[in-house]
Amino acid sequence: MTTLITGGAGFIGGHTVLAFLDRGEIPIVLDDLSTGIREAVPPNVPFFVGDVGDTELVSRLIRNHRIDAILHFAAKIVVPESVVDPLKYYFANTVKTHALLQTAVRGKVRRFVFSSSAAVYGNPSSTPVDETAHPAPLSPYGMSKLMSEYMLIDTSAACNLRHVILRYFNVAGADPAGRLGQSTPGATHLIKVALETALRRRPYMNIYGSDYPTPDGTCVRDYVHVSDLARAHLAALDYLRNGGGSRTLNCGYGRGYSVREVVDAVRMVAGVDFETRQAPRRAGDPASIVANSDQLVSLGWKPELNDLPKMIEHACNWEKKLASVERTARGQPSGVVDVAGNASHAPAVP
Ligand code: UFG
């Protein structure tokens, strides 16, 4: 039996593929390459370019590869973009998850791990927030994830399917061994933006909002290392394989850092100063959100990289690698830049 990873060429999905390989298990990957990068997935992993909403393709994958579990990462993830273009998010994140779930149920897939988000909480009234808090998303992105959660819960109750919903807090860092990192161009996430500024790829960066009800007036987030998050998926899948029932679980470290604290940590790790500019609040941003992840820990998750400077250092190493690969690529006639250091490989047959 095999696990299907949707969005496995993306940042979090790609690190989860590596976590599978590190323990000797080979999944298959489906990714439409809208933001993912083909070279993020090592050549020994069967890779299919396609859409999770393509029921014919997904049915064929389930049948031909004897898929018994799906890890569903493929999604649009930029909160401010979702405010500007909500229907894009409801289509990509909710409508397509509906199609995938329907295909999974028809294909008799028994286990489903869903990438949800702390964005479902909005501005929680208690902090750290646990999974019993009432969800109240502030953005279409958060709502698109919450709607998918509801579909999954109802479907599991009605069918022979068990799931784990993982609500990610702010995912950062890069593979400690340097195999992978965040490569999608046009970054909007804080640590990547700050590192690009530190490496002089941007002249300055904005700090969105300084009047939030937080200690220094900037937003507070719980930053979780992407490799720890990848291992959370293995813990969730093992739990389901061992017969565990459906659960919704937070994934964060339980410690919040303000935007200013993160920027200072980036300056310290990169060893350079850079310009920040105060900008107005960004639409859809909650003031402060920090996870209580006790339930995930009790299920077997062991965070190993709970250290903000380390996380930034790993991401910084990746940014430097990206910059040097791009410099080299500029001297080459054409072709894909192989940021993960893999050989080019042709798509597999579904
Ligand atoms: N920020 C800046 N300047 C920037 C970029 C970000 O000040 O250039 C601020 C944001 O306004 C926010 C904080 O840094 O206050 C974090 O912003 P990110 O864009 O890095 O992340 P978000 O909190 O908006 O969203 C991320 C994920 C979501 C997830 C959420 C959970 O993208 O999928 O964390 O908290 F839901």
Side-chain angles (χ1 to χ4, degrees):
M1 296 304 243
T2 310
T3 298
L4 167 64
I5 299 187
T6 76
F11 176 50
I12 305 171
H15 283 82
T16 304
V17 170
L18 293 180
F20 267 73
L21 296 178
D22 287 346
R23 72 169 191 180
E25 190 173 339
I26 300 184
I28 71 166
V29 167
L30 173 65
D31 197 298
D32 68 1
L33 297 180
S34 56
T35 53
I37 290 174
R38 171 66 186 97
E39 290 71 25
V41 181
N44 59 332
V45 176
F47 185 92
F48 305 94
V49 180
D51 193 314
V52 297
D54 181 343
T55 49
E56 201 195 310
L57 169 65
V58 176
S59 300
R60 206 162 356 119
L61 292 177
I62 290 172
R63 216 175 31 248
N64 292 355
H65 296 266
R66 302 176 66 229
I67 299 299
D68 67 336
I70 296 177
L71 270 54
H72 179 34
F73 294 91
K76 301 273 171 242
I77 59 156
V78 180
V79 172
E81 185 189 37
S82 80
V83 176
V84 176
D85 194 351
L87 292 178
K88 178 174 175 181
Y89 276 68
Y90 288 121
F91 183 63
N93 295 356
T94 314
V95 175
K96 288 190 183 180
T97 297
H98 174 277
L100 178 66
L101 263 178
Q102 195 166 49
T103 317
V105 168
R106 286 184 183 147
K108 302 198 180 344
V109 173
R110 302 274 179 261
R111 303 172 186 103
F112 201 97
V113 180
F114 177 63
S115 302
S116 189
S117 168
V120 301
Y121 291 116
N123 259 320
S125 50
S126 65
T127 185
V129 63
D130 70 29
E131 298 84 351
T132 60
H134 181 69
L138 295 179
S139 64
Y141 167 74
M143 188 57 87
S144 73
K145 288 288 183 180
L146 185 60
M147 289 164 77
S148 300
E149 287 193 7
Y150 288 144
M151 280 194 301
L152 184 51
I153 290 166
D154 290 343
T155 305
S156 292
C159 305
N160 190 8
L161 178 80
R162 283 171 297 113
H163 67 260
V164 171
I165 292 165
L166 286 175
R167 290 177 173 166
Y168 310 159
F169 282 63
N170 285 56
V171 189
D175 176 49
R179 294 170 293 180
L180 195 59
Q182 174 61 276
S183 304
T184 311
T188 59
H189 287 132
L190 177 63
I191 291 180
K192 187 165 173 80
V193 168
L195 281 168
E196 287 177 358
T197 318
L199 298 178
R200 310 291 177 225
R201 295 161 70 83
R202 296 173 186 248
Y204 67 92
M205 65 168 287
N206 287 319
I207 292 182
Y208 297 118
S210 58
D211 57 349
Y212 285 98
T214 58
D216 68 12
T218 65
C219 290
V220 170
R221 296 286 184 274
D222 184 344
Y223 294 88
V224 57
H225 195 294
V226 65
S227 298
D228 270 343
L229 178 61
R231 283 187 286 272
H233 292 81
L234 297 181
L237 183 59
D238 290 345
Y239 163 80
L240 292 173
R241 283 175 174 166
N242 291 330
S246 296
R247 301 276 290 272
T248 298
L249 304 166
N250 285 342
C251 188
Y253 291 140
R255 156 97 207 256
Y257 293 89
S258 74
V259 172
R260 282 195 203 289
E261 285 175 319
V262 170
V263 168
D264 286 344
V266 169
R267 286 189 172 116
M268 195 258 295
V269 171
V272 287
D273 200 4
F274 52 86
E275 184 184 345
T276 57
R277 291 187 188 172
Q278 201 54 61
R281 288 184 177 198
R282 206 176 62 171
D285 273 349
S288 174
I289 179 139
V290 175
N292 174 330
S293 300
D294 290 352
Q295 287 203 53
L296 182 57
V297 169
S298 72
L299 188 135
W301 181 51
K302 293 189 190 70
E304 295 170 16
L305 297 161
N306 179 1
D307 178 339
L308 183 69
K310 240 321 151 240
M311 227 182 294
I312 293 172
E313 184 190 317
H314 294 156
C316 187
N317 292 341
W318 181 255
E319 284 304 321
K320 287 178 178 164
K321 187 168 175 179
L322 272 186
S324 95
V325 169
E326 279 167 26
R327 271 196 303 274
T328 312
R330 261 185 247 124
Q332 292 170 356
S334 66
V336 178
V337 178
D338 186 348
V339 289
N342 296 321
S344 297
H345 29 274
V349 180

